[in-house]
Amino acid sequence: MKKLELKFLNEEDKTVTISLDQPVEPADPAAVNAAMDEIIAQNAFFSSGGDLVSKKSARIVERNVEEIEL
């Protein structure tokens, strides 16, 4: 399963990650950038370290799990 991870810095300069399932691919950097700007402008999410104040990074992460039979 793939996830879009949006990473922000909060008022304590700590990283806050917002993960979204099933991102549209290929990712549109301009749309992701605009969405992150809007999240900050709208103060849409709360973190224990205060408001989100800046963008840090964005990425698509894929996690693969292979069960091992015991």
Side-chain angles (χ1 to χ4, degrees):
M1 172 184 281
K2 291 185 177 181
K3 291 187 176 207
L4 172 63
E5 290 187 350
L6 305 176
K7 295 184 176 282
F8 298 88
L9 294 176
N10 65 16
E11 292 175 318
E12 292 182 350
D13 207 33
K14 304 260 176 151
T15 301
V16 176
T17 303
I18 298 171
S19 296
L20 303 167
D21 292 337
Q22 301 177 346
V24 175
E25 292 189 273
D28 178 351
V32 171
N33 198 41
M36 292 178 80
D37 284 341
E38 194 64 24
I39 288 169
I40 292 170
Q42 296 292 321
N43 201 18
F45 293 96
F46 173 78
S47 79
S48 59
D51 293 342
L52 305 181
V53 295
S54 66
K55 298 174 283 187
K56 182 176 180 184
S57 64
R59 63 185 183 178
I60 292 178
V61 176
E62 183 171 12
R63 179 173 180 250
N64 294 311
V65 177
E66 183 177 334
E67 296 289 336
I68 300 171
E69 198 150 331
L70 301 176

CSV table of all heavy atoms in Angstrom, one decimal:
chain,number,residue,atom,x,y,z
A,1,MET,N,0.8,-1.2,0.0
A,1,MET,CA,0.0,0.0,0.0
A,1,MET,C,0.9,1.2,0.0
A,1,MET,O,1.8,1.3,0.7
A,1,MET,CB,-0.9,0.0,1.2
A,1,MET,CG,-1.7,1.3,1.4
A,1,MET,SD,-2.7,1.4,2.8
A,1,MET,CE,-4.1,0.5,2.3
A,2,LYS,N,0.5,2.2,-0.8
A,2,LYS,CA,1.3,3.4,-0.9
A,2,LYS,C,0.6,4.5,-0.1
A,2,LYS,O,-0.6,4.5,0.0
A,2,LYS,CB,1.4,3.9,-2.4
A,2,LYS,CG,2.3,3.0,-3.2
A,2,LYS,CD,2.5,3.5,-4.6
A,2,LYS,CE,3.5,2.6,-5.3
A,2,LYS,NZ,3.7,3.2,-6.7
A,3,LYS,N,1.4,5.4,0.4
A,3,LYS,CA,0.9,6.5,1.2
A,3,LYS,C,1.6,7.8,0.8
A,3,LYS,O,2.8,7.8,0.5
A,3,LYS,CB,1.1,6.3,2.7
A,3,LYS,CG,0.2,5.3,3.3
A,3,LYS,CD,0.4,5.2,4.8
A,3,LYS,CE,-0.6,4.1,5.3
A,3,LYS,NZ,-1.0,4.4,6.6
A,4,LEU,N,0.9,8.9,0.8
A,4,LEU,CA,1.5,10.2,0.6
A,4,LEU,C,1.8,10.7,2.0
A,4,LEU,O,0.9,10.8,2.8
A,4,LEU,CB,0.6,11.1,-0.2
A,4,LEU,CG,1.0,12.6,-0.3
A,4,LEU,CD1,2.4,12.7,-1.0
A,4,LEU,CD2,0.0,13.4,-0.9
A,5,GLU,N,3.1,11.0,2.3
A,5,GLU,CA,3.4,11.6,3.5
A,5,GLU,C,3.8,13.1,3.4
A,5,GLU,O,4.7,13.4,2.6
A,5,GLU,CB,4.6,10.9,4.2
A,5,GLU,CG,4.3,9.5,4.6
A,5,GLU,CD,5.5,8.9,5.4
A,5,GLU,OE1,6.6,9.4,5.4
A,5,GLU,OE2,5.2,7.8,6.0
A,6,LEU,N,3.1,13.9,4.1
A,6,LEU,CA,3.4,15.4,4.1
A,6,LEU,C,4.0,15.7,5.4
A,6,LEU,O,3.5,15.5,6.5
A,6,LEU,CB,2.0,16.2,3.9
A,6,LEU,CG,1.2,15.8,2.7
A,6,LEU,CD1,-0.1,16.6,2.8
A,6,LEU,CD2,1.9,16.0,1.4
A,7,LYS,N,5.2,16.2,5.3
A,7,LYS,CA,6.0,16.5,6.5
A,7,LYS,C,6.1,18.0,6.7
A,7,LYS,O,6.5,18.8,5.8
A,7,LYS,CB,7.4,15.9,6.5
A,7,LYS,CG,7.3,14.4,6.4
A,7,LYS,CD,8.7,13.8,6.5
A,7,LYS,CE,8.6,12.3,6.5
A,7,LYS,NZ,8.3,11.8,7.8
A,8,PHE,N,5.7,18.4,8.0
A,8,PHE,CA,5.7,19.9,8.4
A,8,PHE,C,6.6,20.0,9.6
A,8,PHE,O,6.9,19.1,10.3
A,8,PHE,CB,4.3,20.3,8.7
A,8,PHE,CG,3.3,20.2,7.6
A,8,PHE,CD1,2.6,19.0,7.4
A,8,PHE,CD2,3.1,21.3,6.8
A,8,PHE,CE1,1.7,18.9,6.4
A,8,PHE,CE2,2.1,21.2,5.7
A,8,PHE,CZ,1.4,20.0,5.5
A,9,LEU,N,7.0,21.3,9.8
A,9,LEU,CA,7.6,21.6,11.1
A,9,LEU,C,6.6,22.4,11.9
A,9,LEU,O,5.9,23.3,11.4
A,9,LEU,CB,8.9,22.5,10.9
A,9,LEU,CG,10.0,21.7,10.2
A,9,LEU,CD1,11.2,22.7,9.9
A,9,LEU,CD2,10.5,20.5,11.0
A,10,ASN,N,6.5,22.1,13.2
A,10,ASN,CA,5.6,22.8,14.1
A,10,ASN,C,6.4,23.9,14.9
A,10,ASN,O,7.6,24.2,14.6
A,10,ASN,CB,4.9,21.9,15.1
A,10,ASN,CG,5.8,21.2,16.0
A,10,ASN,OD1,6.9,21.6,16.3
A,10,ASN,ND2,5.3,20.1,16.7
A,11,GLU,N,5.7,24.6,15.8
A,11,GLU,CA,6.3,25.7,16.5
A,11,GLU,C,7.5,25.3,17.3
A,11,GLU,O,8.4,26.2,17.6
A,11,GLU,CB,5.3,26.4,17.4
A,11,GLU,CG,4.2,27.1,16.6
A,11,GLU,CD,3.1,27.7,17.4
A,11,GLU,OE1,2.7,27.0,18.4
A,11,GLU,OE2,2.7,28.8,17.1
A,12,GLU,N,7.6,24.1,17.7
A,12,GLU,CA,8.8,23.6,18.5
A,12,GLU,C,9.9,23.0,17.5
A,12,GLU,O,10.8,22.4,18.0
A,12,GLU,CB,8.3,22.5,19.4
A,12,GLU,CG,7.5,23.0,20.6
A,12,GLU,CD,7.1,21.9,21.6
A,12,GLU,OE1,7.3,20.7,21.3
A,12,GLU,OE2,6.5,22.3,22.6
A,13,ASP,N,9.7,23.3,16.2
A,13,ASP,CA,10.7,22.8,15.2
A,13,ASP,C,10.8,21.3,15.2
A,13,ASP,O,11.8,20.7,14.8
A,13,ASP,CB,12.1,23.4,15.5
A,13,ASP,CG,12.9,23.5,14.2
A,13,ASP,OD1,12.2,23.8,13.1
A,13,ASP,OD2,14.1,23.4,14.2
A,14,LYS,N,9.7,20.6,15.5
A,14,LYS,CA,9.6,19.2,15.4
A,14,LYS,C,8.8,18.8,14.2
A,14,LYS,O,7.9,19.5,13.7
A,14,LYS,CB,8.8,18.6,16.6
A,14,LYS,CG,9.4,19.0,17.9
A,14,LYS,CD,10.3,17.9,18.5
A,14,LYS,CE,10.9,18.5,19.8
A,14,LYS,NZ,11.2,17.6,20.7
A,15,THR,N,9.1,17.6,13.6
A,15,THR,CA,8.5,17.2,12.4
A,15,THR,C,7.1,16.6,12.7
A,15,THR,O,7.0,15.7,13.6
A,15,THR,CB,9.4,16.1,11.7
A,15,THR,OG1,10.6,16.7,11.4
A,15,THR,CG2,8.7,15.6,10.4
A,16,VAL,N,6.1,17.0,12.0
A,16,VAL,CA,4.8,16.4,12.1
A,16,VAL,C,4.4,15.8,10.7
A,16,VAL,O,4.6,16.5,9.7
A,16,VAL,CB,3.7,17.5,12.4
A,16,VAL,CG1,2.3,16.9,12.4
A,16,VAL,CG2,4.1,18.1,13.7
A,17,THR,N,4.0,14.5,10.7
A,17,THR,CA,3.7,13.9,9.4
A,17,THR,C,2.3,13.6,9.3
A,17,THR,O,1.6,13.1,10.2
A,17,THR,CB,4.5,12.5,9.3
A,17,THR,OG1,5.9,12.8,9.5
A,17,THR,CG2,4.3,11.8,8.0
A,18,ILE,N,1.7,14.0,8.2
A,18,ILE,CA,0.3,13.6,7.8
A,18,ILE,C,0.4,12.6,6.7
A,18,ILE,O,1.0,12.9,5.7
A,18,ILE,CB,-0.5,14.9,7.4
A,18,ILE,CG1,-0.5,15.9,8.6
A,18,ILE,CG2,-1.9,14.5,7.0
A,18,ILE,CD1,-1.0,17.2,8.3
A,19,SER,N,-0.3,11.5,6.9
A,19,SER,CA,-0.2,10.4,5.9
A,19,SER,C,-1.6,10.3,5.2
A,19,SER,O,-2.6,10.2,5.9
A,19,SER,CB,0.2,9.1,6.5
A,19,SER,OG,1.5,9.2,7.0
A,20,LEU,N,-1.6,10.1,3.9
A,20,LEU,CA,-2.8,9.9,3.2
A,20,LEU,C,-2.7,8.7,2.3
A,20,LEU,O,-1.7,8.5,1.6
A,20,LEU,CB,-3.1,11.1,2.2
A,20,LEU,CG,-3.1,12.5,2.9
A,20,LEU,CD1,-3.0,13.6,1.9
A,20,LEU,CD2,-4.4,12.6,3.7
A,21,ASP,N,-3.7,7.8,2.4
A,21,ASP,CA,-3.7,6.5,1.7
A,21,ASP,C,-4.0,6.8,0.2
A,21,ASP,O,-4.7,7.7,-0.1
A,21,ASP,CB,-4.8,5.6,2.2
A,21,ASP,CG,-4.4,5.1,3.6
A,21,ASP,OD1,-3.2,5.1,4.0
A,21,ASP,OD2,-5.3,4.7,4.4
A,22,GLN,N,-3.5,5.9,-0.6
A,22,GLN,CA,-3.8,5.8,-2.0
A,22,GLN,C,-3.6,7.1,-2.8
A,22,GLN,O,-4.6,7.7,-3.3
A,22,GLN,CB,-5.2,5.3,-2.3
A,22,GLN,CG,-5.4,3.9,-1.7
A,22,GLN,CD,-6.9,3.4,-1.8
A,22,GLN,OE1,-7.8,4.2,-2.1
A,22,GLN,NE2,-7.0,2.1,-1.6
A,23,PRO,N,-2.4,7.6,-2.8
A,23,PRO,CA,-2.1,8.9,-3.5
A,23,PRO,C,-2.3,8.8,-5.0
A,23,PRO,O,-2.1,7.7,-5.5
A,23,PRO,CB,-0.7,9.2,-3.1
A,23,PRO,CG,-0.1,7.9,-2.9
A,23,PRO,CD,-1.2,7.1,-2.2
A,24,VAL,N,-2.6,9.9,-5.6
A,24,VAL,CA,-2.7,9.9,-7.1
A,24,VAL,C,-1.3,9.9,-7.6
A,24,VAL,O,-0.4,10.7,-7.1
A,24,VAL,CB,-3.5,11.2,-7.5
A,24,VAL,CG1,-3.4,11.3,-9.1
A,24,VAL,CG2,-4.9,11.2,-7.0
A,25,GLU,N,-1.0,9.1,-8.6
A,25,GLU,CA,0.3,9.0,-9.2
A,25,GLU,C,0.2,9.2,-10.7
A,25,GLU,O,-0.8,8.8,-11.3
A,25,GLU,CB,1.0,7.7,-8.9
A,25,GLU,CG,1.3,7.5,-7.4
A,25,GLU,CD,2.1,6.3,-7.1
A,25,GLU,OE1,1.6,5.2,-6.9
A,25,GLU,OE2,3.4,6.5,-7.2
A,26,PRO,N,1.2,9.9,-11.3
A,26,PRO,CA,2.3,10.5,-10.6
A,26,PRO,C,1.9,11.7,-9.8
A,26,PRO,O,0.9,12.4,-10.2
A,26,PRO,CB,3.2,10.8,-11.8
A,26,PRO,CG,2.3,11.0,-12.9
A,26,PRO,CD,1.2,10.1,-12.7
A,27,ALA,N,2.6,11.9,-8.7
A,27,ALA,CA,2.3,13.1,-7.9
A,27,ALA,C,2.6,14.4,-8.6
A,27,ALA,O,3.5,14.4,-9.4
A,27,ALA,CB,3.2,13.0,-6.6
A,28,ASP,N,1.7,15.3,-8.4
A,28,ASP,CA,1.9,16.7,-9.0
A,28,ASP,C,2.6,17.6,-7.9
A,28,ASP,O,1.9,18.0,-7.0
A,28,ASP,CB,0.5,17.2,-9.4
A,28,ASP,CG,0.6,18.6,-10.0
A,28,ASP,OD1,1.7,19.2,-10.0
A,28,ASP,OD2,-0.4,19.0,-10.5
A,29,PRO,N,3.8,17.8,-8.1
A,29,PRO,CA,4.5,18.7,-7.1
A,29,PRO,C,3.9,20.0,-6.8
A,29,PRO,O,3.8,20.4,-5.6
A,29,PRO,CB,5.9,18.8,-7.6
A,29,PRO,CG,6.1,17.7,-8.6
A,29,PRO,CD,4.8,17.4,-9.1
A,30,ALA,N,3.3,20.6,-7.8
A,30,ALA,CA,2.7,21.9,-7.6
A,30,ALA,C,1.4,21.8,-6.8
A,30,ALA,O,1.1,22.6,-5.9
A,30,ALA,CB,2.4,22.6,-9.0
A,31,ALA,N,0.6,20.7,-7.1
A,31,ALA,CA,-0.6,20.5,-6.3
A,31,ALA,C,-0.3,20.1,-4.8
A,31,ALA,O,-0.9,20.6,-3.9
A,31,ALA,CB,-1.4,19.4,-7.0
A,32,VAL,N,0.8,19.3,-4.6
A,32,VAL,CA,1.1,18.9,-3.3
A,32,VAL,C,1.6,20.2,-2.5
A,32,VAL,O,1.2,20.4,-1.4
A,32,VAL,CB,2.2,17.8,-3.3
A,32,VAL,CG1,2.8,17.6,-1.9
A,32,VAL,CG2,1.7,16.6,-3.9
A,33,ASN,N,2.4,21.0,-3.2
A,33,ASN,CA,2.9,22.2,-2.6
A,33,ASN,C,1.8,23.2,-2.2
A,33,ASN,O,1.8,23.7,-1.1
A,33,ASN,CB,3.9,22.9,-3.6
A,33,ASN,CG,4.8,23.9,-2.9
A,33,ASN,OD1,5.3,23.7,-1.8
A,33,ASN,ND2,5.0,25.0,-3.6
A,34,ALA,N,0.8,23.3,-3.1
A,34,ALA,CA,-0.3,24.2,-2.8
A,34,ALA,C,-1.2,23.7,-1.7
A,34,ALA,O,-1.6,24.4,-0.8
A,34,ALA,CB,-1.2,24.3,-4.1
A,35,ALA,N,-1.4,22.3,-1.6
A,35,ALA,CA,-2.1,21.7,-0.6
A,35,ALA,C,-1.5,21.9,0.8
A,35,ALA,O,-2.1,22.3,1.8
A,35,ALA,CB,-2.3,20.2,-0.8
A,36,MET,N,-0.1,21.8,0.8
A,36,MET,CA,0.6,22.0,2.1
A,36,MET,C,0.5,23.5,2.5
A,36,MET,O,0.4,23.7,3.7
A,36,MET,CB,2.0,21.5,1.9
A,36,MET,CG,2.2,20.0,1.7
A,36,MET,SD,3.9,19.4,1.5
A,36,MET,CE,4.4,19.4,3.2
A,37,ASP,N,0.6,24.4,1.6
A,37,ASP,CA,0.5,25.8,1.9
A,37,ASP,C,-0.9,26.1,2.5
A,37,ASP,O,-1.0,26.8,3.5
A,37,ASP,CB,0.7,26.7,0.6
A,37,ASP,CG,2.1,26.8,0.2
A,37,ASP,OD1,3.0,26.5,1.0
A,37,ASP,OD2,2.3,27.1,-1.0
A,38,GLU,N,-1.9,25.5,1.9
A,38,GLU,CA,-3.3,25.7,2.4
A,38,GLU,C,-3.5,25.1,3.8
A,38,GLU,O,-4.2,25.7,4.6
A,38,GLU,CB,-4.3,25.1,1.4
A,38,GLU,CG,-5.7,25.5,1.6
A,38,GLU,CD,-5.9,27.0,1.4
A,38,GLU,OE1,-5.2,27.7,0.7
A,38,GLU,OE2,-6.9,27.5,2.0
A,39,ILE,N,-2.9,23.9,4.0
A,39,ILE,CA,-3.0,23.3,5.4
A,39,ILE,C,-2.4,24.3,6.4
A,39,ILE,O,-3.0,24.5,7.5
A,39,ILE,CB,-2.3,21.9,5.4
A,39,ILE,CG1,-3.1,20.9,4.6
A,39,ILE,CG2,-2.0,21.5,6.8
A,39,ILE,CD1,-2.4,19.6,4.3
A,40,ILE,N,-1.3,24.9,6.1
A,40,ILE,CA,-0.6,25.8,7.0
A,40,ILE,C,-1.5,27.1,7.2
A,40,ILE,O,-1.7,27.5,8.3
A,40,ILE,CB,0.8,26.1,6.6
A,40,ILE,CG1,1.7,24.9,6.7
A,40,ILE,CG2,1.4,27.3,7.4
A,40,ILE,CD1,3.1,25.1,6.0
A,41,ALA,N,-1.9,27.6,6.1
A,41,ALA,CA,-2.7,28.9,6.1
A,41,ALA,C,-4.0,28.7,6.9
A,41,ALA,O,-4.4,29.6,7.6
A,41,ALA,CB,-3.0,29.3,4.7
A,42,GLN,N,-4.7,27.5,6.7
A,42,GLN,CA,-5.9,27.3,7.4
A,42,GLN,C,-5.8,26.8,8.8
A,42,GLN,O,-6.7,26.6,9.5
A,42,GLN,CB,-6.8,26.3,6.6
A,42,GLN,CG,-7.2,26.8,5.2
A,42,GLN,CD,-8.2,27.9,5.3
A,42,GLN,OE1,-9.1,27.9,6.1
A,42,GLN,NE2,-8.0,28.9,4.4
A,43,ASN,N,-4.5,26.5,9.2
A,43,ASN,CA,-4.2,25.9,10.5
A,43,ASN,C,-5.1,24.7,10.8
A,43,ASN,O,-5.8,24.6,11.8
A,43,ASN,CB,-4.5,27.0,11.6
A,43,ASN,CG,-3.7,26.6,12.9
A,43,ASN,OD1,-2.8,25.8,12.9
A,43,ASN,ND2,-4.1,27.2,14.0
A,44,ALA,N,-5.1,23.8,9.7
A,44,ALA,CA,-6.1,22.7,9.7
A,44,ALA,C,-5.8,21.6,10.6
A,44,ALA,O,-6.7,20.8,10.9
A,44,ALA,CB,-6.1,22.2,8.2
A,45,PHE,N,-4.6,21.5,11.1
A,45,PHE,CA,-4.3,20.4,12.0
A,45,PHE,C,-3.6,20.9,13.3
A,45,PHE,O,-2.9,21.9,13.2
A,45,PHE,CB,-3.3,19.3,11.3
A,45,PHE,CG,-4.0,18.6,10.2
A,45,PHE,CD1,-3.9,19.1,8.9
A,45,PHE,CD2,-4.8,17.5,10.4
A,45,PHE,CE1,-4.5,18.4,7.8
A,45,PHE,CE2,-5.4,16.8,9.4
A,45,PHE,CZ,-5.3,17.3,8.1
A,46,PHE,N,-3.8,20.1,14.3
A,46,PHE,CA,-3.2,20.5,15.6
A,46,PHE,C,-2.1,19.5,15.9
A,46,PHE,O,-2.2,18.3,15.6
A,46,PHE,CB,-4.3,20.4,16.7
A,46,PHE,CG,-3.7,20.5,18.1
A,46,PHE,CD1,-3.4,21.8,18.6
A,46,PHE,CD2,-3.5,19.4,18.9
A,46,PHE,CE1,-2.9,21.9,19.9
A,46,PHE,CE2,-3.0,19.6,20.2
A,46,PHE,CZ,-2.7,20.8,20.7
A,47,SER,N,-1.0,20.0,16.5
A,47,SER,CA,0.0,19.1,16.9
A,47,SER,C,0.4,19.4,18.4
A,47,SER,O,0.1,20.6,18.8
A,47,SER,CB,1.3,19.2,16.1
A,47,SER,OG,2.1,20.3,16.4
A,48,SER,N,0.9,18.5,19.1
A,48,SER,CA,1.2,18.7,20.5
A,48,SER,C,2.3,19.8,20.7
A,48,SER,O,2.4,20.4,21.7
A,48,SER,CB,1.7,17.4,21.2
A,48,SER,OG,2.8,16.9,20.5
A,49,GLY,N,3.1,20.0,19.6
A,49,GLY,CA,4.2,21.0,19.7
A,49,GLY,C,3.7,22.4,19.1
A,49,GLY,O,4.6,23.2,18.8
A,50,GLY,N,2.4,22.6,18.9
A,50,GLY,CA,1.9,23.8,18.4
A,50,GLY,C,1.5,23.8,17.0
A,50,GLY,O,1.5,22.7,16.4
A,51,ASP,N,1.2,24.9,16.4
A,51,ASP,CA,0.8,25.0,15.0
A,51,ASP,C,1.8,24.6,14.0
A,51,ASP,O,3.0,24.7,14.3
A,51,ASP,CB,0.4,26.5,14.7
A,51,ASP,CG,-0.8,26.9,15.5
A,51,ASP,OD1,-1.6,26.1,16.0
A,51,ASP,OD2,-1.0,28.2,15.6
A,52,LEU,N,1.4,24.1,12.9
A,52,LEU,CA,2.3,23.8,11.8
A,52,LEU,C,2.7,25.1,11.2
A,52,LEU,O,1.9,26.0,10.9
A,52,LEU,CB,1.6,22.9,10.7
A,52,LEU,CG,1.0,21.7,11.2
A,52,LEU,CD1,0.3,20.9,10.1
A,52,LEU,CD2,2.0,20.8,12.0
A,53,VAL,N,4.0,25.3,11.1
A,53,VAL,CA,4.5,26.7,10.6
A,53,VAL,C,5.3,26.6,9.3
A,53,VAL,O,5.4,27.7,8.6
A,53,VAL,CB,5.4,27.3,11.7
A,53,VAL,CG1,4.6,27.6,13.0
A,53,VAL,CG2,6.6,26.4,12.0
A,54,SER,N,5.8,25.5,8.9
A,54,SER,CA,6.5,25.4,7.6
A,54,SER,C,6.5,24.0,7.0
A,54,SER,O,6.2,23.0,7.7
A,54,SER,CB,7.9,25.9,7.7
A,54,SER,OG,8.7,25.0,8.5
A,55,LYS,N,6.7,23.9,5.7
A,55,LYS,CA,6.8,22.7,5.0
A,55,LYS,C,8.2,22.1,5.2
A,55,LYS,O,9.2,22.9,5.2
A,55,LYS,CB,6.5,22.8,3.5
A,55,LYS,CG,5.1,23.3,3.3
A,55,LYS,CD,4.9,23.6,1.8
A,55,LYS,CE,5.6,24.9,1.4
A,55,LYS,NZ,5.3,25.4,0.1
A,56,LYS,N,8.3,20.8,5.3
A,56,LYS,CA,9.6,20.2,5.4
A,56,LYS,C,9.9,19.3,4.2
A,56,LYS,O,10.9,19.5,3.5
A,56,LYS,CB,9.7,19.3,6.6
A,56,LYS,CG,11.1,18.7,6.8
A,56,LYS,CD,11.2,17.9,8.1
A,56,LYS,CE,12.6,17.3,8.2
A,56,LYS,NZ,12.7,16.5,9.4
A,57,SER,N,8.9,18.4,3.8
A,57,SER,CA,9.1,17.6,2.7
A,57,SER,C,7.8,16.9,2.4
A,57,SER,O,6.9,16.9,3.2
A,57,SER,CB,10.2,16.5,2.9
A,57,SER,OG,9.9,15.7,3.9
A,58,ALA,N,7.8,16.2,1.2
A,58,ALA,CA,6.6,15.3,0.9
A,58,ALA,C,7.2,14.1,0.1
A,58,ALA,O,8.2,14.3,-0.6
A,58,ALA,CB,5.6,16.1,0.0
A,59,ARG,N,6.6,13.0,0.3
A,59,ARG,CA,7.0,11.8,-0.4
A,59,ARG,C,6.0,10.8,-0.5
A,59,ARG,O,5.0,10.8,0.3
A,59,ARG,CB,8.3,11.2,0.3
A,59,ARG,CG,8.0,10.7,1.7
A,59,ARG,CD,9.2,10.3,2.4
A,59,ARG,NE,8.9,9.8,3.8
A,59,ARG,CZ,9.8,9.2,4.6
A,59,ARG,NH1,11.1,9.2,4.2
A,59,ARG,NH2,9.4,8.8,5.7
A,60,ILE,N,6.1,9.9,-1.4
A,60,ILE,CA,5.2,8.7,-1.5
A,60,ILE,C,6.0,7.5,-1.0
A,60,ILE,O,7.1,7.3,-1.4
A,60,ILE,CB,4.8,8.5,-2.9
A,60,ILE,CG1,3.8,9.6,-3.4
A,60,ILE,CG2,4.0,7.1,-3.1
A,60,ILE,CD1,3.3,9.6,-4.8
A,61,VAL,N,5.4,6.8,0.0
A,61,VAL,CA,6.1,5.7,0.6
A,61,VAL,C,5.3,4.4,0.3
A,61,VAL,O,4.0,4.4,0.4
A,61,VAL,CB,6.1,5.9,2.1
A,61,VAL,CG1,6.7,4.7,2.8
A,61,VAL,CG2,6.9,7.2,2.5
A,62,GLU,N,6.0,3.4,-0.1
A,62,GLU,CA,5.3,2.1,-0.3
A,62,GLU,C,5.9,1.1,0.7
A,62,GLU,O,7.1,1.0,0.9
A,62,GLU,CB,5.6,1.6,-1.7
A,62,GLU,CG,4.9,0.3,-2.0
A,62,GLU,CD,4.9,-0.1,-3.5
A,62,GLU,OE1,5.7,0.5,-4.2
A,62,GLU,OE2,4.2,-1.0,-3.9
A,63,ARG,N,5.0,0.4,1.4
A,63,ARG,CA,5.4,-0.6,2.4
A,63,ARG,C,5.0,-2.0,1.9
A,63,ARG,O,3.9,-2.2,1.5
A,63,ARG,CB,4.6,-0.3,3.7
A,63,ARG,CG,5.0,-1.3,4.8
A,63,ARG,CD,4.3,-0.8,6.1
A,63,ARG,NE,4.6,-1.7,7.2
A,63,ARG,CZ,3.7,-2.5,7.7
A,63,ARG,NH1,2.5,-2.5,7.4
A,63,ARG,NH2,4.1,-3.4,8.7
A,64,ASN,N,6.0,-2.9,1.8
A,64,ASN,CA,5.7,-4.2,1.4
A,64,ASN,C,5.9,-5.1,2.6
A,64,ASN,O,6.9,-5.0,3.3
A,64,ASN,CB,6.7,-4.6,0.3
A,64,ASN,CG,6.4,-3.8,-1.0
A,64,ASN,OD1,5.2,-3.7,-1.4
A,64,ASN,ND2,7.4,-3.2,-1.5
A,65,VAL,N,5.0,-6.1,2.8
A,65,VAL,CA,5.1,-7.0,3.9
A,65,VAL,C,5.1,-8.4,3.4
A,65,VAL,O,4.3,-8.8,2.5
A,65,VAL,CB,3.9,-6.8,4.9
A,65,VAL,CG1,4.0,-7.9,6.0
A,65,VAL,CG2,3.9,-5.4,5.5
A,66,GLU,N,6.1,-9.2,3.8
A,66,GLU,CA,6.2,-10.6,3.3
A,66,GLU,C,6.2,-11.4,4.6
A,66,GLU,O,7.1,-11.4,5.4
A,66,GLU,CB,7.5,-10.8,2.6
A,66,GLU,CG,7.6,-12.2,2.1
A,66,GLU,CD,8.9,-12.4,1.2
A,66,GLU,OE1,9.4,-11.4,0.6
A,66,GLU,OE2,9.4,-13.5,1.2
A,67,GLU,N,5.1,-12.2,4.7
A,67,GLU,CA,4.9,-13.0,5.9
A,67,GLU,C,5.9,-14.2,5.8
A,67,GLU,O,6.1,-14.7,4.7
A,67,GLU,CB,3.5,-13.6,6.0
A,67,GLU,CG,2.4,-12.5,6.2
A,67,GLU,CD,2.5,-11.9,7.6
A,67,GLU,OE1,2.9,-12.6,8.5
A,67,GLU,OE2,2.0,-10.8,7.7
A,68,ILE,N,6.4,-14.6,6.9
A,68,ILE,CA,7.3,-15.7,7.0
A,68,ILE,C,6.6,-16.8,7.8
A,68,ILE,O,6.2,-16.6,8.9
A,68,ILE,CB,8.6,-15.4,7.7
A,68,ILE,CG1,9.3,-14.3,6.9
A,68,ILE,CG2,9.5,-16.6,7.9
A,68,ILE,CD1,10.5,-13.7,7.6
A,69,GLU,N,6.4,-17.9,7.2
A,69,GLU,CA,5.7,-19.0,7.8
A,69,GLU,C,6.6,-19.7,8.8
A,69,GLU,O,7.7,-20.1,8.5
A,69,GLU,CB,5.2,-20.0,6.8
A,69,GLU,CG,4.1,-20.9,7.3
A,69,GLU,CD,3.1,-21.3,6.3
A,69,GLU,OE1,2.9,-20.6,5.3
A,69,GLU,OE2,2.6,-22.4,6.4
A,70,LEU,N,6.1,-19.9,10.0
A,70,LEU,CA,6.9,-20.5,11.1
A,70,LEU,C,6.4,-21.9,11.4
A,70,LEU,O,5.2,-22.2,11.3
A,70,LEU,CB,6.8,-19.6,12.3
A,70,LEU,CG,7.4,-18.2,12.2
A,70,LEU,CD1,7.2,-17.4,13.5
A,70,LEU,CD2,8.8,-18.2,11.7
